[in-house]
Amino acid sequence: MTKTATLLFLLLSLFVASAADTNGQADLSKSLGDAHRSDTREYTRRADAAMDQWRADRFGIMIHWGVYAIPGGWWNGQEVKYAAEWIKVGGHVPAADYDALLPQFNPTNYHPQAWAKLFKAAGAKYVVITTKHHDGFCLWDSKFTDYDIGGTPWKKDLLRPLAEALRAEGIDVGFYYSIIDWHHPDFRAVLKTAADEAAYARYIQFMKDQIKELLTEYGPIMTLWFDGRWDPAYKTNPQIGKDLEAYCRSLSPGLVLGDRVRAYDSVADYDSGFERRLPKRKPETDWEACMTMTENSWGYHASWTGAGWKTPRYLCELLTRCSAMSGNFLVNIGPRADGTIRPEETQRLEHMGRWLAVNGEAIYGTEAGPALELPDGIYATRRGNRVFIHVYRWPDTDKLKLKGLNITSATLLTGHGPQPVVVENGDTISGLAQSPPDDIATIFALKVK
Ligand code: JFZ
């Protein structure tokens, strides 16, 4: 990092820590920062079936759901223009008022099978749901806290029926778990005294107890997705993250862990730090990007969309770009408090799914395509001797030259089966239509020597 970037990051971290610490005097309308990259020196690329499964999945859905969906970004008639799951801090909500949300949380329209069917239709291969976000509210009835679904009128575990419904659809299950906890009495953002240290040690044990519940009582969990490592208490004591990682692996040997389990000193199995942005070029490590459909809210926000809703086409392009750099893509939804998913999200997921139903073979199980000089808006993925050219920007002429390839045959993927295309000189697709056949992106599936 440059000096300026380091300084910026330090300032941001302080800002985040103090926001969590003081229950929020800060202006949270700007993005918070965890953009610091983890140390890659210890990284070894995993070569086992569980990790290969994670890689092959490529496309997942992230779900931010909790009691913050009730206010939906509004507090006392005021819109809080920031991530809805941060409202306790961003809206300066007194703890007692926030806690009063629990007796109102009653997702009577929660239908996990319908969710799973929607995710399947979207073409998603895995799901990562917030089991506990920074506010500390748990979506399952944990033995180790009452600040959970058991303390709501709904009472029933939200995770188990979802995990079962997902597996029934052949979708892998992932759990998000926040290291930050604004509710737990022993959580500390900063350790100043011996008493703080003792409390924090109890908090770490609490996290382990909860993680054991999540990893041993919910069937096979593909990935645990940690978040909130930026507070000094965690990040200046790297041994804590190291131990936590080892503990998770002892409970579940094949578990896929991102770098946010660690205090920036390791990427663990993959770099999960691409938050609402993609890397500029292919990282050396396995990696995953997570993306909001609006500008910057993960939990349900009734009104604030910032720069607006991303189009299904743009979301597919981001997915393609991830695959073309050998990375995974998580697209986020924030269900309403009653358990329904808003139409803006449903429509986008279904639209992506219609494209993937035709073109999925160019995404799933692929890796970065061969190094080619491709025009803007054109990307390549590959699986063995098959290369997939994803055309988001239709060429200006009826030819597409792919210098450096030795094409033996080529087809165009369509909803009515693959169509043959003409190849010239082994490196040029010719006779292109005057407008793109696919409203999202047209895929040329090539066999190459
Ligand atoms: C965190 C959370 O604070 C947020 O609520 C949401 O859950 C998101 C997925 O993760 O926010 C982050 C994390 C990382 C960065 C920015 C915000 N980052 O890497 O820049």
Side-chain angles (χ1 to χ4, degrees), residues 38 54 77 124 155 157 159-160 165 203 259 270 309 315 346 362 366 377:
S38 291
W54 180 90
K155 288 196 166 54
D157 187 342
L159 298 181
R160 191 178 315 282
Y203 177 69
D259 62 330
Y270 71 95
W309 288 94
L315 293 168
T346 305
T366 64

Side-chain angles (χ1 to χ4, degrees), residues 21-288:
D21 226 10
T22 57
N23 211 8
Q25 300 310 311
D27 169 17
L28 292 172
S29 59
K30 293 180 192 71
S31 176
L32 297 173
D34 190 19
H36 188 67
R37 300 249 64 81
S38 291
D39 196 319
T40 56
R41 278 174 294 186
E42 268 180 31
Y43 177 76
T44 31
R45 193 173 188 274
R46 260 175 66 175
D48 57 82
M51 192 69 204
D52 281 343
Q53 176 69 36
W54 180 90
R55 287 184 192 114
D57 281 359
R58 280 291 174 253
F59 177 40
I61 288 170
M62 191 173 218
I63 306 171
H64 277 70
W65 200 28
V67 293
Y68 42 77
I70 299 172
W74 285 74
W75 200 264
N76 283 339
Q78 293 269 317
E79 189 186 29
V80 181
K81 291 198 173 193
Y82 189 66
E85 73 281 5
W86 276 81
I87 197 163
K88 190 178 181 186
V89 170
H92 314 301
V93 179
D97 295 353
Y98 194 85
D99 294 351
L101 292 171
L102 266 71
Q104 300 169 53
F105 190 71
N106 196 20
T108 50
N109 289 316
Y110 176 48
H111 299 299
Q113 284 96 346
W115 280 22
K117 285 202 160 60
L118 171 65
F119 305 152
K120 172 88 175 177
K125 300 293 186 185
Y126 67 115
V127 163
V128 176
I129 182 165
T130 52
T131 61
K132 182 193 89 165
H133 203 265
H134 307 336
D135 64 358
F137 175 75
C138 301
L139 266 55
W140 80 104
D141 195 358
S142 170
K143 282 196 274 301
F144 303 98
T145 180
D146 292 328
Y147 202 67
D148 63 10
I149 193 69
T152 72
W154 182 255
K155 288 196 166 54
K156 300 178 283 284
D157 187 342
L158 297 172
L159 298 181
R160 191 178 315 282
L162 181 63
E164 284 167 4
L166 291 173
R167 287 192 199 102
E169 297 291 346
I171 298 173
D172 293 317
V173 181
F175 286 159
Y176 169 111
Y177 186 88
S178 172
I179 292 162
I180 291 174
D181 193 317
W182 299 329
H183 178 268
H184 198 284
D186 289 328
F187 174 76
R188 298 287 183 278
V190 194
L191 307 179
K192 292 178 200 135
T193 64
D196 285 339
E197 304 219 352
Y200 201 58
R202 288 193 299 274
Y203 177 69
I204 302 294
Q205 186 56 47
F206 165 76
M207 283 208 291
K208 286 184 170 176
D209 291 338
Q210 289 211 314
I211 285 162
K212 187 171 185 187
E213 288 183 317
L214 293 172
L215 287 182
T216 60
E217 294 175 25
Y218 288 87
I221 303 302
M222 181 175 77
T223 179
L224 251 194
W225 209 102
F226 284 94
D227 190 24
R229 57 174 166 177
W230 54 75
D231 283 324
Y234 196 82
K235 92 179 165 202
T236 59
N237 296 291
Q239 192 59 36
I240 296 172
K242 218 172 180 175
D243 290 347
L244 199 59
E245 181 185 355
Y247 182 67
C248 294
R249 295 197 195 283
S250 74
L251 292 172
S252 173
L255 188 68
V256 176
L257 282 168
D259 62 330
R260 291 185 198 192
V261 67
R262 295 287 290 267
Y264 305 100
D265 60 333
S266 160
V267 285
D269 299 324
Y270 71 95
D271 186 341
S272 61
F274 296 98
E275 196 262 356
R276 294 182 299 116
R277 69 197 176 84
L278 268 45
K280 290 209 166 55
R281 64 193 80 79
K282 182 179 172 296
E284 304 277 305
T285 66
D286 281 305
W287 65 279
E288 171 191 74

